[in-house]
């Protein structure tokens, strides 16, 4: 019996080796091997884009926090200069995204980097408003997202030294919708510092943005229509502050205006069911 087992083992090993050799040479297995490699490459690229998007989001948020200081300082030159430096660093990250997407179908990877791009649009549009008191256009944003490729990459394809990244209209709209929340916070800070002119400017500007979004209505992307509710909340709070300033502004000392406004916005949130 032991002899039979000893004789059977080599036969088993030989059969297993033959099956493995057949699978290796199979055209189906070879095709699936190629598919596996392609999926691994796409997955790795997707993860790199997600990481870049997170870095862009973090730096853009830091820029927004920095810009909120403009309401509390007499000279905003240094703050705006520092914000420019931070956004230049963010654009370098976007240049890395453009490099990753070179030759790819961007729609396959859009979900990986769209949060960061939306946050960048919010930050750059906030800076533009502080400087120009107007809304930056999509064309102006994309004009700053043109990058020069490295000499090594340029040598591989003669004449192609410029790399561009295009913010989609959807990402632009979503970023502008988020901007309204920052403008509402800017209104609160302005009132707290005794500035009663900025809230009225913000109210008019937010009304124009709201009218633009209302014009798009349900014809735009689903995410845009979802942000319309938040936009209306921000506009309502700013308009309520303007109403309080217009009606009772002369009665309330400037250092107490922020407290009055904060209590009124808290009351609005409670009535709307916002926790």
């Amino acid at each position: 019996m032991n002899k039979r087992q000893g004789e059977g083992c080599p036969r088993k090993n030989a059969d297993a080796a033959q099956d493995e050799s057949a699978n290796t040479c199979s055209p189906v297995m070879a095709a699936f091997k190629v598919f596996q490699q392609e999926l691994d490459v796409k997955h790795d690229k997707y993860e790199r884009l997600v990481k870049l998007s997170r870095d862009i989001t973090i730096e853009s948020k830091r820029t927004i926090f920095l810009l909120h200081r403009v309401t509390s300082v007499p000279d905003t030159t240094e703050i705006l200069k520092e914000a420019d430096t931070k956004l230049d660093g963010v654009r370098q990250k976007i240049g890395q995204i453009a490099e990753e997407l070179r030759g790819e179908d961007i729609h396959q990877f859009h979900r990986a980097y769209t949060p960061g791009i939306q946050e960048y649009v919010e930050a750059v549009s906030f800076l533009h408003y502080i400087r120009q008191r107007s809304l930056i256009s999509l064309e102006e944003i994309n004009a700053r997202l043109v990058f020069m490729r490295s000499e090594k990459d340029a040598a591989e394809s003669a004449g192609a030294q410029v790399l561009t990244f295009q913010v989609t209209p959807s990402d632009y709209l979503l970023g502008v919708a988020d901007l309204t929340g920052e403008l509402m916070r800017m209104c609160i800070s302005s009132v707290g510092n005794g500035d009663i002119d900025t809230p009225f400017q913000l109210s008019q500007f937010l009304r124009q943005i709201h009218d633009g979004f209302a014009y798009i209505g349900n014809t735009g992307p689903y995410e845009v229509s979802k942000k319309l509710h938040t936009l209306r909340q921000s506009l309502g709070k700013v308009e309520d502050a303007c109403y309080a300033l217009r009606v009772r502004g002369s009665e309330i000392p400037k250092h107490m205006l922020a407290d009055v406004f904060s209590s009124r916005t808290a009351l609005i949130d409670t009535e709307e069911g916002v926790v």
Side-chain angles (χ1 to χ4, degrees):
M1 186 170 180
N2 292 336
K3 184 177 181 182
R4 289 181 181 177
Q5 288 180 350
E7 291 176 352
C9 288
R11 188 177 301 125
K12 263 186 171 180
N13 295 336
D15 292 342
Q18 186 176 358
D19 292 341
E20 184 179 353
S21 176
N23 289 334
T24 304
C25 299
S26 170
V28 175
M29 294 301 297
F32 271 89
K33 188 73 173 177
V34 174
F35 298 153
Q36 180 189 5
Q37 293 173 351
E38 291 179 357
L39 289 173
D40 287 343
V41 170
K42 287 186 179 296
H43 177 74
D44 292 342
K45 185 183 291 289
Y46 192 94
E47 290 301 318
R48 290 195 299 270
L49 290 171
V50 168
K51 185 180 183 305
L52 286 170
S53 177
R54 289 172 183 163
D55 293 341
I56 291 171
T57 299
I58 292 171
E59 290 303 317
S60 297
K61 284 184 180 296
R62 287 174 178 169
T63 304
I64 292 171
F65 296 153
L66 171 68
L67 289 172
H68 276 296
R69 291 169 49 196
V70 299
T71 59
S72 58
V73 296
D75 186 9
T76 62
T77 304
E78 290 300 322
I79 292 178
L80 297 181
K81 187 183 297 184
E82 185 178 350
D84 280 328
T85 303
K86 286 182 176 295
L87 288 178
D88 284 339
V90 172
R91 279 187 279 270
Q92 292 179 6
K93 294 287 186 181
I94 296 177
Q96 295 179 37
I97 291 180
E99 187 68 34
E100 291 282 357
L101 295 176
R102 182 159 51 95
E104 298 282 357
D105 179 6
I106 63 172
H107 300 290
Q108 291 184 5
F109 301 96
H110 183 251
R111 290 179 64 88
Y113 62 83
T114 181
I117 298 303
Q118 292 175 30
E119 200 70 34
Y120 167 73
V121 171
E122 181 180 354
V124 76
S125 58
F126 192 27
L127 175 60
H128 184 85
Y129 176 79
I130 292 172
R131 278 188 169 139
Q132 307 293 336
R133 288 298 190 266
S134 62
L135 180 64
I136 191 171
S137 67
L138 177 60
E139 291 74 18
E140 289 176 290
I141 291 178
N142 285 333
R144 299 291 302 275
L145 300 179
V146 180
F147 313 97
M148 297 299 296
R149 294 167 56 188
S150 63
E151 296 181 1
K152 178 181 178 181
D153 293 332
E156 295 177 358
S157 53
Q161 298 183 356
V162 179
L163 193 64
T164 61
F165 181 90
Q166 296 293 304
V167 175
T168 63
S170 176
D171 287 343
Y172 170 74
L173 290 174
L174 292 170
V176 170
D178 290 335
L179 167 68
T180 60
E182 302 305 330
L183 295 179
M184 185 267 293
R185 295 179 184 91
M186 183 180 179
C187 176
I188 298 176
S189 300
S190 299
V191 173
N193 291 307
D195 181 2
I196 60 175
D197 295 326
T198 298
F200 291 97
Q201 296 175 358
L202 289 170
S203 176
Q204 183 179 2
F205 181 66
L206 286 173
R207 172 56 63 181
Q208 293 174 348
I209 293 180
H210 175 270
D211 292 344
F213 273 86
Y215 178 78
I216 295 174
N218 294 327
T219 60
Y222 173 69
E223 294 84 357
V224 174
S225 60
K226 281 177 57 180
K227 299 249 181 182
L228 188 58
H229 176 67
T230 305
L231 194 158
R232 286 171 178 160
Q233 284 184 326
S234 299
L235 175 61
K237 292 175 183 179
V238 172
E239 287 184 336
D240 188 73
C242 292
Y243 174 81
L245 290 172
R246 183 70 72 188
V247 175
R248 301 185 57 198
S250 58
E251 304 173 1
I252 306 173
K254 286 187 176 181
H255 67 278
M256 296 180 61
L257 285 174
D259 295 335
V260 173
F261 177 49
S262 299
S263 62
R264 290 178 67 87
T265 53
L267 178 62
I268 293 174
D269 288 343
T270 303
E271 292 175 349
E272 293 178 347
V274 178
V275 181

